[in-house]
Amino acid sequence: MTMVRSKLISIGGLVAGTAGLLLLSACGSENAPVAQNTSASPSSSVPDTSAAPSATSSAPAPQPVQPPAQASKNDGLCKAGDVKLSIKDSDAAAGTVYRKLVITNASGHPCTIQGFPGVSYVTGADGHQVGEAAFRDGAKGGPVQLGNGESAIADVGFVNVRNYDEAVCKPTETRGLRVYLPQETASNFVPVQGLGCAGKIPGNQLTVKTVHKG
């Protein structure tokens, strides 16, 4: 009897142990994490670069910046600071006195002058202009080469403005002439007293001809 009881206890323990193992296995399977598929598809792991070319291959090569052209510092033309101006009497015609505007090169180097000087009456301490500037009379002449000390001449006509109606002319005493050499933006002043029209007259109070060699 004792031997039979021992075998039964052994069998019962084996069965209980087996049942416990089965129960633990079942519980473990419920809590075990589910494996995720982490392998990416071939299309997602390698970027497709065939659709568009790279920025570096499509952008044009940068071009070198060209420096701006340098203007010539000395174009050979006579400048305002190169010359001395004076007025010399010439002759007279009906209602007009002609005088010579003498342009002398005092620069110490040769220069060239061509065309019509700009001439106008000025007055007052501020040197404001009186009436219209000189009308260009005749054709433009050729270039005049002036060595140092040489002169060119432009003939200027001074109309007797007293021949105009005073109410229209508005006669005004002038201090001199403002003169712009051809193709020059700076001016020279020639002191010479005169009388100009501050009003708008039906004519030209001043005329000027192209420069020529003196």
Side-chain angles (χ1 to χ4, degrees):
M1 286 295 292
T2 300
M3 185 177 297
V4 173
R5 187 178 296 171
S6 288
K7 289 183 178 181
L8 290 175
I9 292 173
S10 298
I11 292 172
L14 180 60
V15 171
T18 302
L21 291 173
L22 292 174
L23 179 60
L24 290 173
S25 176
C27 291
S29 65
E30 291 180 359
N31 297 326
V34 179
Q36 300 293 327
N37 184 8
T38 58
S39 61
S41 64
S43 60
S44 62
S45 61
V46 180
D48 184 6
T49 59
S50 62
S54 65
T56 57
S57 62
S58 60
Q63 299 297 320
V65 177
Q66 297 294 331
Q70 297 294 325
S72 174
K73 293 182 179 180
N74 184 5
D75 54 11
L77 298 177
C78 297
K79 307 295 183 183
D82 295 335
V83 299
K84 292 182 178 180
L85 305 183
S86 60
I87 290 288
K88 290 186 177 180
D89 289 334
S90 182
D91 52 11
T96 302
V97 174
Y98 288 93
R99 295 172 177 170
K100 296 182 183 297
L101 173 63
V102 182
I103 307 167
T104 302
N105 178 11
S107 66
H109 56 77
C111 66
T112 302
I113 186 169
Q114 179 182 13
F116 299 89
V119 181
S120 59
Y121 282 126
V122 292
T123 194
D126 60 350
H128 64 272
Q129 183 170 321
V130 177
E132 298 291 332
F135 174 78
R136 295 178 176 180
D137 183 13
K140 179 179 178 180
V144 177
Q145 303 284 342
L146 296 179
N148 185 49
E150 293 184 331
S151 299
I153 291 175
D155 297 304
V156 180
F158 297 79
V159 173
N160 184 358
V161 299
R162 295 192 183 279
N163 293 334
Y164 294 103
D165 182 0
E166 287 191 7
V168 176
C169 172
K170 301 178 182 178
T172 303
E173 290 187 1
T174 60
R175 293 179 51 234
L177 301 174
R178 178 181 293 124
V179 178
Y180 289 92
L181 299 183
Q183 305 179 57
E184 172 65 310
T185 56
S187 64
N188 297 82
F189 175 73
V190 183
V192 53
Q193 291 184 340
L195 190 68
C197 287
K200 180 69 175 178
I201 59 174
N204 303 303
Q205 63 178 349
L206 292 168
T207 59
V208 61
K209 294 185 178 182
T210 189
V211 296
H212 57 88
K213 197 66 177 286

